[in-house]
Amino acid sequence: MTERNYDLHCHSNRSDGILAPAEVAARAHANGVDVLALTDHDEVSGVAEVMQAGQSLGLHVVPGVEISVTFAGLTVHIVGLNFDPTNADLVAGLAATRLGRTSRAIEMGKRLESMGMPGAYEGALQFVSNPQMIGRTHFARYLVQAGFCPDVQTVFTKYLGDDRAGQVAVQWATLEQAVGWINGAGGQAVIAHPGRYKFRPNQFSALFDTFIELGGVGIEVTTGSHTSDEARRYADVARRYGFLASRGSDFHSPTESRIDLGRLPFLPADLKPVWHDWEDRRPT
Ligand code: AMP
Ligand code: MN
Ligand code: MN
Ligand code: MN
């Protein structure tokens, strides 16, 4: 039997992806994905559309989200999977998390202007289809269009990465809130792309220990955001901490993403996947 292809991390134009939720489902299906979760940033408004599209394609879709969290002064992303997307506390919590984005975007526009790149806030808005969800990727697309950088990756390297002068830090949700909203809605909380965080070893231990104490269950091991070295490192972390392992492309766009939907290595066979009991959890 060939292994089922799970892609449990990707984005639509409800956050900073390019495709509509139904287009994400169609592309995933065409790429051979068997089980998909659309995980828009701080937003579940695309979940109904992607599930409906999945149903007509014969693609199994589980609800997903990627919540922005501030932990130890840095941004950490927590993916939620297989929850009730209509849960009132979750929906309200995500709405509150989105609130800071517009004022932050205006501030980022000012920073970029002072760095010689005027009009970036207005320019970024042209790339936003969900007005509450303006983020760094929309700015990156504008700066490429305006000719300041050759591609989105360069924008992050030079101006908008976590330690670059053009980005503005926000106080996102707390880890406790994010895990609480996901668990309260019957889902599973997973640390997204741990290889991306610039934590010191003791901060990583604190993140993993606190996450487990709060009821988090998984980490992403195989993701478009990890090198193969990082995938090996976090496979070891999963073994040491007893985390369930997740797999997701973090696909945003056919032209910008390093990895297309479903096109990434399978999990190491000895890890217990986050989906190991999904047959049992599926609502009757
Ligand atoms: P925001 O939520 O506005 O802080 O934007 C975060 C998003 O920016 C991430 O989800 C990625 O889509 C993108 N991003 C962050 N860092 C990078 C990077 N180094 N390279 C490419 N995209 C990045
Ligand atoms: Mn993103
Ligand atoms: Mn992320
Ligand atoms: Mn993502």
Side-chain angles (χ1 to χ4, degrees):
M1 200 180 88
T2 54
E3 187 160 350
R4 299 235 292 167
N5 190 336
Y6 286 78
D7 191 332
L8 304 180
H9 187 151
C10 64
H11 298 272
S12 77
N13 62 6
R14 302 313 299 163
S15 65
D16 60 357
I18 290 279
L19 305 178
E23 294 171 325
V24 174
R27 189 177 182 94
H29 185 60
N31 280 5
V33 172
D34 298 300
V35 183
L36 178 74
L38 175 71
T39 55
D40 276 314
H41 298 285
D42 309 321
E43 177 65 275
V44 288
S45 68
V47 167
E49 183 182 319
V50 73
M51 291 185 82
Q52 200 167 20
Q55 204 156 36
S56 57
L57 292 162
L59 166 72
H60 188 61
V61 180
V62 299
V65 68
E66 181 176 17
I67 304 181
S68 310
V69 160
T70 303
F71 182 85
L74 289 183
T75 297
V76 169
H77 286 170
I78 301 296
V79 161
L81 297 171
N82 221 358
F83 51 82
D84 169 11
T86 66
N87 179 275
D89 287 342
L90 171 79
V91 169
L94 295 177
T97 307
R98 291 193 296 269
L99 270 182
R101 283 189 175 266
T102 294
S103 53
R104 170 213 196 201
I106 292 169
E107 184 60 30
M108 283 201 290
K110 288 184 190 153
R111 291 259 186 107
L112 292 166
E113 177 160 14
S114 75
M115 297 162 75
M117 293 167 278
Y121 173 64
E122 294 74 15
L125 275 179
Q126 297 166 27
F127 291 88
V128 172
S129 47
N130 175 0
Q132 296 182 342
M133 271 309 303
I134 185 165
R136 283 184 279 168
T137 309
H138 306 109
F139 279 84
R141 289 182 185 135
Y142 167 72
L143 293 180
V144 172
Q145 179 193 263
F148 291 112
C149 286
D151 53 47
V152 162
Q153 192 53 49
T154 308
V155 179
F156 279 95
T157 309
K158 289 177 78 171
Y159 304 120
L160 292 182
D162 289 350
D163 54 355
R164 301 285 109 185
Q167 75 91 29
V168 172
V170 203
Q171 200 62 39
W172 300 114
T174 65
L175 189 62
E176 182 172 11
Q177 286 173 320
V179 176
W181 296 330
I182 293 164
N183 286 351
Q188 292 160 291
V190 173
I191 297 175
H193 44 63
R196 282 247 302 264
Y197 311 129
K198 305 269 186 284
F199 285 135
R200 295 187 303 274
N202 63 325
Q203 292 174 308
F204 268 115
S205 319
L207 172 65
F208 298 144
D209 289 337
T210 312
F211 183 66
I212 290 171
E213 272 165 37
L214 293 169
V217 294
I219 59 169
E220 288 183 346
V221 170
T222 310
T223 139
S225 302
H226 280 172
T227 62
S228 45
D229 269 1
E230 287 167 337
R232 271 191 291 277
R233 179 175 325 144
Y234 291 100
D236 276 341
V237 168
R239 293 179 188 109
R240 276 212 311 281
Y241 283 82
F243 283 126
L244 303 176
S246 192
R247 173 182 191 263
S249 59
D250 208 355
F251 174 83
H252 284 71
S253 144
T255 57
E256 293 161 7
S257 296
R258 214 153 46 89
I259 304 256
D260 208 330
L261 289 159
R263 300 273 165 82
L264 64 171
F266 290 113
L267 290 176
D270 66 302
L271 296 184
K272 191 188 264 194
V274 69
W275 56 82
H276 75 99
D277 64 351
W278 281 5
E279 293 300 321
D280 310 333
R281 295 165 67 99
R282 199 174 291 170
T284 49

